[in-house]
Every structure is written in structure tokens, then in C-alpha cells.
Amino acid sequence: VTGPVKYYNYTNIVPTTITAGQGITATITAYGNNDVTVSSHTPFTITMTPVAGVTFYTDNTLVTATTTYTLANGIATIYAKATIAGSIVLTATDGLGRSKNTIATTITVNPSAVATVTVSGSTPITSGIQSASYTAVSKDIYNNAVADTFTWTKANGTGTATLSVDKLTGVVSGTVTITATSVTNNLVAGNNVVTVVAGAIATVAVSGATSITSGVQSASYTAASTDAAGNAVADTFTWTNANGTG
């Protein structure tokens, strides 16, 4: 049968549900106005409509990319690879750029294996105050988000903190590292370095000479403010004195 193409039909799509990075093959058939395969038509090269995250190839090795296919006897085999999770539909235009009504099958693309974990949350945190929950996101090699759960741990560095599930309470000023390990793939983890800063002033300690000579001015006394965990807090002071027996 020769004549104009009414529509293209995709069949033999294998598979219709894939993992990101997996190959797809499909048969495209051109049909005329009488709904019979069009075996001869000029021009008979089709151009695949661009789809985000989909690359078309010349054959099933998925090595040499292409955007066009030539139909022989009204039929061509399409080879593609999808890397963005979601749903895709294959469509095409003919050699004159005309888009035909297409009987299409939706292909579902699922994320591939967990490749990275990213941890986000508060930094700095204040000593003695529990932080909000830290969050973690797992993604595959193509940057698709992967549903996951996490095991949380922490490591003290120049500072210290305690961990409650996914929350930190700072203790000693400095840095600590909170880590989320993927439960789906426990070989993959991500972390966030968190700075612990001093909390509210809890004590002021004064030091200096305890015995001074009448008529002779002492050296300056010094004062240091610390929080409840003993972290130094930058401060200035108002000095007063109260006479006792002297």
C-alpha cells in the first residue's frame, strides 16, 4: 500500500516499565487513511520528538545516538534509553516535519539504585538546645529522587553533641558530623558538618589578685563568661565593688 501516512502506531514496546538508564525497544508502523500499513511513501524518514531524559539510538547496543529512523515496508524499530523518572510517550514527525496522530503507549520510568545521599539541616546550632530534624534525600546516578529511609549517626570533631534519632543537641563548641546512611543501600551515606556555638551565659568567673596593698593600685582583674556546658562566651563587663571588712 502506498500513500500518505494517517498515523504511527507503536507496538512491541519492551519493557513498558523500566529503571532509569535501561534500554527500550519499540516497533513503529505507519498506517494510511484506510488503516492499512503504508509500505511506500516519500519521504519515509521519521524524526523522534524530543523527550526530556530520553536518547534515541541506531541499534540495541545503545552506543550511537540518532534522532531519525527510516521505515522499511512501513515499519522501523526504535531504540531508546530514558534517564529521568516519570512517564514518557514516544511520538514522531515525518520527513516534512508533520506530526501524525499517534496511538501510543505510556512508558513508566522508575529511579535506579541509590547512588548518593544528601543531608541538610541547621548549622550552626546552639549548645544546650536541640536542633530541628535533619533531612536526607537519596538520588540515583541520574539525579532522580529515590524513596528511602535512613540510619542516623553522629561523630564528634572539635566539638561534641548528642544525637536523638535525627536531631542534635550541641554540648562543646566546635564541629560535629551528622551522617545519614541509606537503608535501601547501606553502602551509601551522606553527611553534614555542623558547628556548635556557645549557649546563653550561665556563669561569670573573676580572677586577679586576692591580696593588695593599701594605697597601691592592683593590676586589672579579668572576667570570663561561660555557658552551662563550660563554653566561653564573648562578653563585656560592668565592674563594681562592695566593701566588706575593708
Side-chain angles (χ1 to χ4, degrees), residues 125-132 134 153-156 159-172 176-178 194 196:
I125 61 174
T126 301
S127 177
I129 299 176
Q130 187 179 65
S131 71
Y134 287 80
T153 56
K154 63 89 185 176
N156 294 326
T160 65
T162 59
L163 176 69
S164 176
V165 187
D166 57 4
K167 300 176 181 178
L168 290 173
T169 301
V171 181
V172 176
V176 298
T177 300
I178 186 168
V194 179
V196 180

Coordinates of all heavy atoms in Angstrom, one line a residue, residues 125-132 134 153-156 159-172 176-178 194 196:
I125 N 24.4 25.3 65.4 CA 23.4 25.0 66.5 C 24.0 25.5 67.8 O 25.2 25.7 67.9 CB 23.0 23.5 66.6 CG1 24.3 22.7 66.9 CG2 22.4 23.0 65.3 CD1 24.0 21.2 67.2
T126 N 23.1 25.8 68.7 CA 23.5 26.4 70.0 C 23.6 25.3 71.1 O 22.7 24.4 71.2 CB 22.4 27.4 70.4 OG1 22.3 28.5 69.4 CG2 22.8 28.1 71.8
S127 N 24.7 25.3 71.8 CA 24.9 24.4 72.9 C 23.7 24.4 73.8 O 23.3 25.4 74.2 CB 26.2 24.7 73.6 OG 26.4 23.9 74.7
G128 N 23.3 23.2 74.1 CA 22.2 23.0 75.1 C 20.8 23.1 74.5 O 19.8 22.9 75.2
I129 N 20.7 23.4 73.2 CA 19.4 23.5 72.6 C 19.3 22.5 71.5 O 20.1 22.4 70.6 CB 19.1 24.9 72.0 CG1 19.2 25.9 73.1 CG2 17.8 25.0 71.3 CD1 19.1 27.4 72.7
Q130 N 18.2 21.6 71.5 CA 18.1 20.6 70.5 C 17.7 21.2 69.1 O 16.9 22.1 69.1 CB 17.0 19.6 70.9 CG 16.9 18.4 70.0 CD 15.9 17.4 70.4 OE1 14.7 17.7 70.4 NE2 16.3 16.2 70.8
S131 N 18.4 20.7 68.1 CA 18.1 21.2 66.8 C 16.8 20.7 66.2 O 16.2 19.8 66.8 CB 19.2 20.8 65.8 OG 19.1 19.4 65.6
A132 N 16.3 21.3 65.1 CA 15.2 20.6 64.4 C 15.8 19.4 63.7 O 17.0 19.1 63.7 CB 14.7 21.6 63.3
Y134 N 17.2 16.9 61.1 CA 18.0 17.0 59.8 C 17.2 16.1 58.8 O 16.5 15.2 59.1 CB 19.4 16.5 60.0 CG 20.2 17.5 60.8 CD1 20.1 17.7 62.2 CD2 21.0 18.4 60.1 CE1 20.8 18.6 62.9 CE2 21.7 19.4 60.8 CZ 21.6 19.5 62.2 OH 22.3 20.5 62.9
T153 N 23.6 8.7 62.4 CA 24.7 8.6 63.4 C 25.4 10.0 63.5 O 25.2 10.8 62.6 CB 25.8 7.5 63.0 OG1 26.2 7.8 61.7 CG2 25.2 6.1 63.0
K154 N 26.2 10.2 64.5 CA 27.0 11.4 64.6 C 28.4 11.1 65.1 O 28.7 10.1 65.7 CB 26.3 12.4 65.5 CG 26.2 12.0 67.0 CD 27.4 12.4 67.8 CE 27.3 11.9 69.2 NZ 28.4 12.2 70.1
A155 N 29.3 12.0 64.7 CA 30.7 11.8 65.1 C 31.2 13.2 65.6 O 31.0 14.2 64.9 CB 31.6 11.3 64.0
N156 N 31.8 13.2 66.9 CA 32.3 14.4 67.4 C 33.6 14.8 66.7 O 34.4 13.9 66.3 CB 32.6 14.3 68.9 CG 31.3 14.1 69.7 OD1 30.2 14.6 69.3 ND2 31.3 13.3 70.7
G159 N 34.1 19.7 68.3 CA 33.1 19.9 69.3 C 32.4 18.6 69.6 O 32.8 17.6 69.1
T160 N 31.4 18.7 70.5 CA 30.6 17.5 70.8 C 29.1 17.8 70.8 O 28.7 18.9 70.9 CB 31.0 16.9 72.2 OG1 30.6 17.9 73.2 CG2 32.5 16.6 72.3
A161 N 28.3 16.7 70.6 CA 26.9 16.8 70.6 C 26.3 15.5 70.9 O 27.0 14.4 70.9 CB 26.4 17.3 69.3
T162 N 25.1 15.5 71.3 CA 24.3 14.2 71.5 C 23.3 14.1 70.4 O 22.9 15.1 69.8 CB 23.6 14.2 72.8 OG1 22.7 15.3 72.9 CG2 24.6 14.2 74.0
L163 N 22.9 12.9 70.0 CA 22.1 12.6 68.9 C 20.8 11.9 69.4 O 20.8 11.0 70.2 CB 22.7 11.7 67.9 CG 21.9 11.2 66.7 CD1 21.6 12.4 65.8 CD2 22.6 10.1 65.9
S164 N 19.6 12.4 69.0 CA 18.3 11.8 69.2 C 17.7 11.6 67.9 O 17.1 12.5 67.3 CB 17.5 12.7 70.1 OG 16.2 12.1 70.3
V165 N 17.8 10.4 67.4 CA 17.2 10.0 66.0 C 17.9 10.8 65.0 O 19.0 10.5 64.4 CB 15.7 10.0 66.0 CG1 15.2 9.5 64.6 CG2 15.1 9.3 67.1
D166 N 17.3 12.0 64.6 CA 17.8 12.8 63.5 C 18.0 14.3 64.0 O 18.0 15.2 63.2 CB 16.9 12.8 62.3 CG 15.5 13.2 62.6 OD1 15.2 13.6 63.7 OD2 14.6 13.1 61.7
K167 N 18.1 14.4 65.3 CA 18.3 15.7 65.9 C 19.5 15.8 66.8 O 19.9 14.8 67.4 CB 17.1 16.1 66.8 CG 15.8 16.1 66.1 CD 14.6 16.4 67.0 CE 13.3 16.4 66.3 NZ 12.1 16.6 67.2
L168 N 20.2 16.9 66.7 CA 21.4 17.1 67.5 C 21.2 18.1 68.7 O 20.5 19.1 68.5 CB 22.6 17.6 66.7 CG 23.2 16.7 65.6 CD1 24.1 17.5 64.7 CD2 23.9 15.5 66.3
T169 N 21.8 17.8 69.8 CA 21.9 18.8 70.9 C 23.4 19.1 71.1 O 24.2 18.2 71.5 CB 21.3 18.3 72.2 OG1 19.9 18.0 71.9 CG2 21.4 19.4 73.3
G170 N 23.8 20.3 70.8 CA 25.2 20.6 71.0 C 25.6 20.7 72.4 O 24.9 21.0 73.3
V171 N 26.9 20.3 72.7 CA 27.5 20.4 74.0 C 28.7 21.3 74.0 O 28.6 22.5 74.4 CB 27.8 19.0 74.6 CG1 28.4 19.1 76.0 CG2 26.6 18.1 74.5
V172 N 29.8 20.8 73.5 CA 31.1 21.6 73.5 C 31.2 22.3 72.1 O 30.9 21.7 71.1 CB 32.3 20.7 73.7 CG1 33.6 21.5 73.6 CG2 32.2 20.1 75.1
V176 N 30.8 19.0 64.7 CA 30.4 17.6 64.7 C 29.8 17.2 63.4 O 29.4 18.1 62.6 CB 29.3 17.3 65.8 CG1 29.9 17.6 67.2 CG2 28.0 18.1 65.6
T177 N 29.8 16.0 63.1 CA 29.3 15.5 61.8 C 28.1 14.6 62.0 O 28.2 13.6 62.7 CB 30.4 14.7 61.0 OG1 31.5 15.6 60.8 CG2 29.9 14.3 59.6
I178 N 27.0 14.9 61.3 CA 25.8 14.0 61.4 C 25.8 13.3 60.0 O 26.0 13.9 59.0 CB 24.5 14.8 61.6 CG1 23.4 13.9 61.8 CG2 24.3 15.9 60.6 CD1 22.1 14.5 62.4
V194 N 28.4 20.2 61.2 CA 27.6 21.1 61.9 C 28.5 21.8 63.0 O 29.2 21.2 63.7 CB 26.4 20.4 62.6 CG1 25.6 21.4 63.4 CG2 25.5 19.7 61.6
V196 N 28.8 23.8 66.4 CA 28.2 24.1 67.7 C 28.7 25.4 68.3 O 30.0 25.6 68.4 CB 28.5 22.9 68.7 CG1 27.8 23.2 70.1 CG2 28.0 21.6 68.1

